[in-house]
Structures are given as structure tokens and as C-alpha cells.
Amino acid sequence: MPPLLHQVFRPVPFCTYYRMAEIADTRLARLQPRAGFKLAAVWTYLGVLPFFVFIIAFLIFPATNLFAGAFQDAKGNFTLVNIQGLFSPYILKAYRTSLEVSLITSLSGGVLGFFVAYAITMGAAPRWVRSMLLTFSGLAANFGGVPLAFAFIATMGRTGFVTAILKSICYSAADASKVCPLDPYEAGFSLYSTVGLAVTYTYFQFPLMVLVITPAIEGLKREWREAAENLGASAWQYWWHIGFPVLLPSILGATLLLFGSAFGAYATAQALTGGSILLVTIVIGQQIRGDVLGDTNLGYALAFGMVVVMAVCIALYTVLDRRTSRWLRR
Amino acid sequence: MTKSRFNPWTWLWVTVATLYFFVPLWGTFDFSLRMKRGAITFLAYQKVFADPKFLQSFRYSATMGVITVIVSIMLFVPTTYWIHLKLPRLRPVVELLTLLPFIIPVIVLVFGLIRTFSRPPFRMTQTEFTTDILITAGYVILSMPFMFRAVDVGMRAIDVRTLTEAAQSLGAGWLRVLLSVILPNLRVAILSGSLITFATVVGELILADFLVRPALGPYMVVVGGGKAYEPAALGILSFGLTWICLGIIQLVSRGDVRLQPIGR
């Protein structure tokens, strides 16, 4: 027996129908785009097609093509010999030199950059000093390549500006001795060595650190410091128990970014040393010019290994960055 | 923050940083003026400008820079617009893709481009024209993170949907919306992206060197290998050009050039 009209209507308050209508409405709304799914969606995705075609053609495809070569022998068969070849002494040494330079400069740049960022945020540096240093950091972090190498050759090369000044100090002395302790080249320094390369890289490394870490230091809440001081903490205790632990992920992340930035650098090292310091990038460059490794596919493996290191760096940086941006946003 | 209290620790680091910035610049400038023994002259600069190869390579690099900027704008502005308007779901994917050049060093990119496009069926390195196409593509990839980010930030600051709907309700077509509504609103963003792209291309060494094109980067390396004072002059000129570009960006966008270029 079908229910009578009033039996259907009466037990349920009106607002329920209203809500049911609402639900039905949203369901309909959700359904509607699906009705025209095929044509509309295809048109919509067509709009980003040029971008994806471009990226795939000139970035993804060449890169994967290269990495495929890392797992092939000369005839194109699958092999792991090239990856094994990465552990030969010559290539290991290149990786070690690259890691060394990147590690040294990410630490030197990181420490210097951190203290500069601290000085212009927490320290009592006047506003104009702060904006000047931030502006120059923006510029210097963007500087690199061949001109940077030229600048350091002109400044700290054998006849460079600073070298000449240091030399003139001791040779102009009355008892001009043959040995000049102030001459950096007498003291064993050379711009064309790993140390010289590190000094040069630091020119773009520490400004990068300043730019990345300044927002993090600014994110330290003043309440935390006041609370710590109210409880009788010294400045040292505050930093050791609160400031430093809070900043640690940002510092680590920024250092990783610096590491990657130095690890992938080629032009500065090439222009500075003419390729005499065998970094991974330099070896890859020589491999492109002529088959120095005696095996083309080994060159591809070298490039592949490099991208793996870079990818790990950037991935870790992203994870750490996300962690810090959580509390930076308040 | 107490302001005028003298803090030696602060001033130590400010001094160190300032010295690190300026001593190499000053040193290079000073060095570039000393070509003639015992005199301060601009001889090194005159020599640089008198070298026809400098002008040729500069013209080539500047032309490539402009072409790269145009291609980048044509590629990234419509894409970013479309993503903001219709496909916000795709944004993380596109963002990740545009950051790939940070993971793939230029030297690896050029290696891949050569391996892929110099052999059949493409054979793109056989004529100058096709090599230029290849190198432009490389430059666009290199400057992608900056261009995309600049445009993306600019696009986020305007209400793309409302602007589009308003324009459409007045009868504008897609092209018209892009050209006369979206583009003018992105002036600053596009200018910033273009300038940093231009600066990156003009100073770039690796792509031009390995694809053997007569650009400024390879020219500078050749000069650097054979001469003493001209490189310093070139360094100062190059500093100047880069800093003008980045300075304009800082002026128009009021700070935050926290992008590091690729291609060192």
C-alpha cells in the first residue's frame, strides 16, 4: 500500500527537505561538468600542451636519454658496468674534490652568511646597513661565472690588487728581506688551487645564505627570548636551548642549497683554473669535448651520478624548508 | 630591538661582509685601470671596445638574450595564466618541472642536448641556424625558474578570474584577454623575469661554449687565457650589466631577488 501524502510529509520537518534539496543540488552541480567531460577537459588541457611539449623535448627527454646511456654499453645493451666504473680511482677523486669544495664553501658561506644575517636582524645594525647588505646580497648571490673568476684573478691573483698591497707592505720596509711573510703566494696560498676556488665560491655562497636565512631569523619570536630572559636565561642559554634548535632545520636546509649550488658550478672553476682542478663538472666538460674517459657511456654515468647528488640535496632542502615554513607562517 | 647601542659583534660581521663584497670589485676596477705602467688609464676598456670580436660576440649574446626573453614570455605567460584560471590542480606539477634546472646542472643539460639532438634524426648541430634554435631552447630552460616564478608571483597578485570574466563579458576573446588585460597587469613581473633572463643569457658560458656559438662567455674565456688587463675590464663591464639588470628589478619590484642563476 503506497504511503499517503501526509504520511510522507508530516513526520519530517521542513528544513530537512530544504537540506535534501541542497544536497541534491550540489550533487547535480558536481555531476554537471562530468556530463561535458570529454570535450571541455581536452580543450582545457590543450592550453598547457606547448609548455609540456617544450619541457619534455628539451629537458626531460635529453636528460633521460643521457641517464639511459648510463645503463647501456656501447652496443646499447643494459649494463651496470658504467655505474661500477664510477668507483674507479680517477672518478672517485673527481667526486671527492667536488664534494670537498662544495662542503668547504657551503660551511664557510653558511657560517659567514648566518652571522651577517644575525647582525642585520637581531644585532643592532642600523636600517641603512641592513638594506644595503640585503641589496648587495641579492646582487652578489646572482653573480658568478667567468666575470667572478676575472674579479678574483685581478684581486688575489699573482699580480692582483690585494696581493700587490700585501707585498708592498713588506718590500717597502727598510730591511727589505727576500722572504715576505705577508705575500700570500710565499705563504703557500694560490688562487688556482682548491682553497682559491673555495675563496672565490664564497663570494656568491654567503650572500645566498644571507638571503635564505634572514627570514628564518626574523621568524624567531621576541616573546621566546623575553620568556627565556624572565626565567633567568643568559643569552648563551637562550641560543643553545631555544634559538639554535628552532633554526636548525633552516640552517641545514640553507647549507644544502649552498652545497648544491657549488656542486653544479662549472664556469667559475673553468675560467679560474683552466680546468686544472678536476671537479666532476670539469671532467664532464672534458668528456663532451673529447672522449677523455675512454668510454662515452661512463661519461653519461658521471652525469647521472651528479644529478643524483643534486636531487638528494634539493629534496632534503625542500623537506627542511617545509618544516620551517610551518612555524614561520605563524 | 634597541637601535643605537654599539655592538662590536654586529659590526665585526657587517665589516667582514662589506669587505668581501667590495674588495674584489674595487680590486678588479683598480687592476683594469693599470694597463699603462705608472698611469691610470682607461686603455684596457678602449682595447676591449676596439676589438671587433667583442662587439660581435656581445651582439650575438644580446640578440640571443632578446630572443630567449620573447620565447620565454610566449611560453610561460599563457601557460601560467591557464593554470591559474583553469587547472590549479596542475600547479604543483608545473612548479616542480620549472625547478628541475636547479637539480640538473647546465653541464649535464648541454651534455644531454648534444647527445640527443646532434645525431640523426635531428642533426641540429650541423647548421648554425638549427644550433641557434637548440641553444635558445637551452637558454629558455635555464632561465625558466626565474621567468616562471616572476610571472607566477605576479599572477597571484591579480585576480585572474575576475579580470577574465569582466573582459569576456565585454566581448573580448582569449587573445584579447591575454594581450590587453593580463599582460598589462603583469608588467612588473614580466619585466623582472625578462631582465634576469637577459642577464643570465648574456653572461652564460656553458651552452654557448659546448654548442660552439660565438657568444660573450666563450669570448671572455679566450681573452682571460691570453691577456692580463682586458679580462678585468670585461669583468667590470659584465658586473655593470648584470647589476643594472638586477638593480632595475630591485627598483621596480622593491626587493626579494632571492633567485640564484644557473650556469656558473
Side-chain angles (χ1 to χ4, degrees):
Chain A
M1 184 181 147
L4 294 169
L5 204 60
H6 73 271
Q7 282 177 318
V8 179
F9 267 104
R10 214 194 276 141
V12 196
F14 181 72
C15 63
T16 313
Y17 287 100
Y18 181 72
R19 273 191 54 212
M20 279 166 72
E22 206 177 41
I23 290 165
D25 207 40
T26 50
R27 282 204 185 138
L28 260 180
R30 253 185 246 153
L31 274 174
Q32 251 159 5
R34 283 196 194 155
F37 175 76
K38 276 176 192 157
L39 202 71
V42 168
W43 273 111
T44 311
Y45 280 96
L46 221 54
V48 288
L49 193 65
F51 172 79
F52 279 96
V53 167
F54 185 85
I55 297 291
I56 288 169
F58 293 107
L59 185 63
I60 312 268
F61 180 56
T64 44
N65 197 6
L66 204 63
F67 303 153
F71 293 96
Q72 285 170 354
D73 60 18
K75 285 177 191 154
N77 302 315
F78 176 80
T79 177
L80 286 174
V81 171
N82 303 312
I83 304 297
Q84 250 174 5
L86 288 182
F87 296 94
S88 66
Y90 181 73
I91 292 179
L92 271 186
K93 189 160 178 268
Y95 270 104
R96 210 176 50 222
T97 317
S98 269
L99 290 176
E100 240 171 54
V101 171
S102 313
L103 204 66
I104 292 172
T105 60
S106 56
L107 288 180
S108 65
V111 169
L112 181 54
F114 177 81
F115 280 116
V116 173
Y118 175 81
I120 61 176
T121 49
M122 298 301 221
R127 192 169 278 272
W128 66 269
V129 171
R130 176 194 152 88
S131 66
M132 179 198 77
L133 282 179
L134 274 180
T135 306
F136 276 105
S137 295
L139 296 174
N142 282 291
F143 202 72
V146 190
L148 181 65
F150 287 173
F152 271 84
I153 291 172
T155 309
M156 304 194 64
R158 248 167 226 293
T159 56
F161 177 72
V162 170
T163 317
I165 289 180
L166 289 175
K167 269 187 186 171
S168 71
I169 293 175
C170 46
Y171 287 126
S172 66
D175 55 334
S177 51
K178 286 249 162 131
V179 183
C180 178
L182 281 176
D183 179 356
Y185 284 82
E186 293 271 341
F189 170 83
S190 169
L191 186 61
Y192 316 101
S193 65
T194 323
V195 179
L197 198 61
V199 171
T200 312
Y201 277 10
T202 306
Y203 192 81
F204 60 72
Q205 291 284 55
F206 93 87
L208 188 59
M209 182 71 176
V210 173
L211 293 180
V212 178
I213 207 74
T214 300
I217 299 183
E218 274 173 342
L220 286 179
K221 292 202 182 79
R222 203 197 299 183
E223 292 91 318
W224 299 342
R225 176 150 215 167
E226 285 167 358
E229 276 168 5
N230 283 342
L231 294 171
S234 63
W236 172 249
Q237 276 174 319
Y238 163 74
W239 273 106
W240 184 246
H241 292 292
I242 298 161
F244 191 65
V246 167
L247 283 179
L248 194 61
S250 342
I251 294 176
L252 282 178
T255 313
L256 276 165
L257 195 66
L258 299 197
F259 183 90
S261 141
F263 195 72
Y266 166 85
T268 311
Q270 174 70 29
L272 193 68
T273 66
S276 63
I277 295 180
L278 291 176
L279 304 170
V280 182
T281 46
I282 300 277
V283 176
I284 292 177
Q286 292 174 346
Q287 173 71 12
I288 300 176
R289 289 228 163 84
D291 198 355
V292 284
L293 299 175
D295 181 359
T296 329
N297 292 82
L298 189 54
Y300 303 148
L302 200 57
F304 176 69
M306 178 143 207
V307 172
V308 169
V309 174
M310 297 290 278
V312 169
C313 279
I314 301 291
L316 282 176
Y317 165 72
T318 317
V319 171
L320 289 168
D321 188 52
R322 220 161 264 170
R323 243 186 103 110
T324 51
S325 58
R326 218 181 292 154
W327 56 260
L328 266 181
R329 243 179 249 136
R330 264 176 263 175
Chain B
M1 204 190 291
T2 45
K3 251 195 166 175
S4 51
R5 194 183 54 193
F6 181 79
N7 183 343
W9 190 242
T10 297
W11 287 103
L12 171 73
W13 293 111
V14 167
T15 314
V16 170
T18 314
L19 284 179
Y20 219 117
F21 280 134
F22 288 109
V23 168
L25 283 187
W26 179 253
T28 314
F29 185 59
D30 183 89
F31 196 79
S32 73
L33 298 177
R34 293 182 186 273
M35 193 167 186
K36 209 175 193 177
R37 209 164 254 282
I40 301 289
T41 57
F42 282 95
L43 192 62
Y45 294 88
Q46 286 166 2
K47 285 254 163 104
V48 166
F49 282 113
D51 186 356
K53 275 199 184 148
F54 167 74
L55 294 177
Q56 271 169 19
S57 56
F58 182 76
R59 199 182 308 132
Y60 178 83
S61 282
T63 315
M64 291 321 275
V66 171
I67 295 176
T68 306
V69 164
I70 295 172
V71 174
S72 298
I73 292 175
M74 280 176 15
L75 194 62
F76 296 128
V77 173
T79 305
T80 322
Y81 169 66
W82 204 246
I83 284 165
H84 273 258
L85 191 67
K86 299 261 179 178
L87 295 165
R89 263 174 307 162
L90 271 188
R91 228 182 125 247
V93 180
V94 172
E95 210 173 357
L96 188 73
L97 284 176
T98 55
L99 288 178
L100 274 184
F102 281 125
I103 297 175
I104 300 176
V106 200
I107 190 90
V108 174
L109 174 70
V110 78
F111 201 6
L113 286 177
I114 290 175
R115 169 171 154 93
T116 308
F117 291 105
S118 70
R119 50 178 69 179
F122 301 107
R123 293 177 189 274
M124 281 179 84
T125 48
Q126 297 221 326
T127 65
E128 288 185 357
F129 179 68
T130 46
T131 313
D132 280 345
I133 294 179
L134 193 60
I135 205 173
T136 308
Y139 286 147
V140 172
I141 296 277
L142 276 197
S143 49
M144 177 167 70
F146 316 122
M147 197 47 138
F148 177 80
R149 211 182 120 159
V151 174
D152 190 52
V153 169
M155 202 79 82
R156 232 180 291 171
I158 59 176
D159 191 345
V160 178
R161 187 173 297 271
T162 309
L163 282 177
T164 308
E165 279 166 8
Q168 281 178 329
S169 75
L170 293 171
W174 284 116
L175 200 65
R176 183 88 197 227
V177 173
L178 256 180
L179 288 181
S180 23
V181 177
I182 300 298
L183 267 184
N185 272 297
L186 290 176
R187 273 190 315 258
V188 171
I190 290 178
L191 183 69
S192 308
S194 303
L195 283 167
I196 200 161
T197 300
F198 185 79
T200 308
V201 172
V202 171
E204 207 278 334
L205 167 74
I206 304 168
L207 279 169
D209 200 14
F210 287 103
L211 291 170
V212 203
R213 298 302 293 138
L216 200 58
Y219 168 79
M220 289 209 283
V221 170
V222 171
V223 172
K227 295 182 173 154
Y229 296 95
E230 283 92 335
L234 276 172
I236 289 293
L237 290 174
S238 177
F239 261 115
L241 183 75
T242 315
W243 287 33
I244 287 171
C245 287
L246 296 170
I248 297 175
I249 297 176
Q250 292 233 335
L251 264 181
V252 293
S253 65
R254 311 190 72 217
D256 196 34
V257 191
R258 54 171 288 195
L259 308 155
Q260 101 245 53
I262 319 180
R264 283 183 174 124

